[in-house]
Amino acid sequence: MRSQGFDDFVLQPPTVWQEPPLTGPDGQELEGYALVELHGFGITSGHLSIFESPNAPDFFTDNARPSSQPEDDAYLFALWSEAQVGGETVPGGCAAWAESEWENQNPEWAAGNAFGSELGTYMEEADNDARLVALDADLSICMAQQGYSIHRSSDIPQLVRAKIEAIPPGLSEDEYIRDLEKVRAYEIELAKAAWQCAQEVDTPERRAKWEAVQNEYREQFVVDNPELFEPFKDLTP
């Protein structure tokens, strides 16, 4: 980024922080419907935990905190879209160039990334398989009766994420937390409806059919991509 004219760009060192468990008012860990009643799916609570936990690193809170500064289009373009490196144009910007350099220096990481990316493609195809789409039909009907419009089970958490992304920029931290609390209230009601519908339609037979279809795609992935397993052959017992 400095070679693109952004001298104030600071690369943050890798930071590892484990979110605290989702708990009740007395600090007790929750599960099942008790968890749903207080945290929904835990999506919004995960965002709020960054502000609520005294152990959250500054790097996380600084990035979670809404910015009052307008976005710099040239900065974002150089970071994510296109950069000039060594006289050549790099699609994807400095972020893509840095990732490529990292992969060249860490081939085992690159192998794992390629493996996961390709497997993800197969599982996305599985999710769009007509048999799984049909299995979601009853869930879609049940959720519609609860007042929520979804086509697939994977749409449910996206309703929450869309509301988080729709929080306007330029808010103070208190205002941002207030809006997150509103999203959490929505998420809890959504999760309650999803829980109720799951009790009605998510039978052992449905789960077995779902797993069988996914296994077909996993097995085909193994058959089609033996080269992706090659870097890990010495790691298997």
Side-chain angles (χ1 to χ4, degrees):
M1 289 296 290
R2 290 176 179 171
S3 70
Q4 310 304 305
F6 298 96
D7 294 333
D8 58 346
F9 179 80
V10 177
L11 179 63
Q12 295 285 351
T15 305
V16 177
W17 176 62
Q18 185 174 0
E19 289 182 9
L22 300 175
T23 60
D26 299 325
Q28 75 276 23
E29 291 195 29
L30 303 172
E31 59 182 21
Y33 194 70
L35 179 64
V36 169
E37 287 183 304
L38 283 180
H39 297 286
F41 307 109
I43 299 171
T44 314
S45 290
H47 283 262
L48 284 165
S49 69
I50 296 174
F51 298 102
E52 296 170 347
S53 173
N55 299 319
D58 291 341
F59 172 72
F60 283 88
T61 53
D62 289 345
N63 281 275
R65 186 173 291 114
S67 173
S68 59
Q69 301 299 319
E71 292 183 338
D72 186 327
D73 290 339
Y75 175 92
L76 295 176
F77 184 82
L79 181 60
W80 298 112
S81 298
E82 185 178 291
Q84 301 296 320
V85 181
E88 297 184 1
T89 300
V90 179
C94 289
W97 178 85
E99 182 175 354
S100 176
E101 288 294 300
W102 172 263
E103 290 182 352
N104 289 338
Q105 297 171 28
N106 300 272
E108 70 289 348
W109 186 91
N113 196 35
F115 185 99
S117 177
E118 187 64 14
L119 177 59
T121 299
Y122 275 72
M123 299 317 296
E124 184 176 347
E125 291 175 0
D127 191 56
N128 291 320
D129 188 289
R131 292 168 292 176
L132 296 193
V133 173
L135 286 175
D136 265 347
D138 288 342
L139 179 64
S140 177
I141 293 171
C142 180
M143 290 296 291
Q145 293 171 344
Q146 302 288 331
Y148 300 97
S149 177
I150 66 154
H151 297 290
R152 304 297 311 282
S153 54
S154 55
D155 293 340
I156 296 175
Q158 293 304 324
L159 294 175
V160 179
R161 295 188 179 100
K163 285 191 172 294
I164 293 175
E165 292 170 2
I167 294 176
L171 301 178
S172 68
E173 184 172 319
D174 287 343
E175 290 171 331
Y176 184 64
I177 291 173
R178 178 205 62 199
D179 280 9
L180 282 176
E181 291 284 7
K182 291 179 181 178
V183 176
R184 177 156 61 184
Y186 166 84
E187 178 183 344
I188 288 171
E189 294 306 311
L190 173 65
K192 287 179 179 178
W195 177 279
Q196 180 178 331
C197 287
Q199 306 312 302
E200 296 179 15
V201 306
D202 194 21
T203 63
E205 180 183 8
R206 177 183 181 274
R207 289 194 294 271
K209 289 180 178 179
W210 192 284
E211 188 66 22
V213 172
Q214 288 191 320
N215 282 339
E216 286 182 21
Y217 283 84
R218 293 188 185 103
E219 291 167 2
Q220 193 60 48
F221 166 75
V222 173
V223 172
D224 293 345
N225 299 280
E227 73 283 357
L228 293 179
F229 291 84
E230 192 66 21
F232 310 105
K233 63 181 182 179
D234 294 333
L235 302 177
T236 56

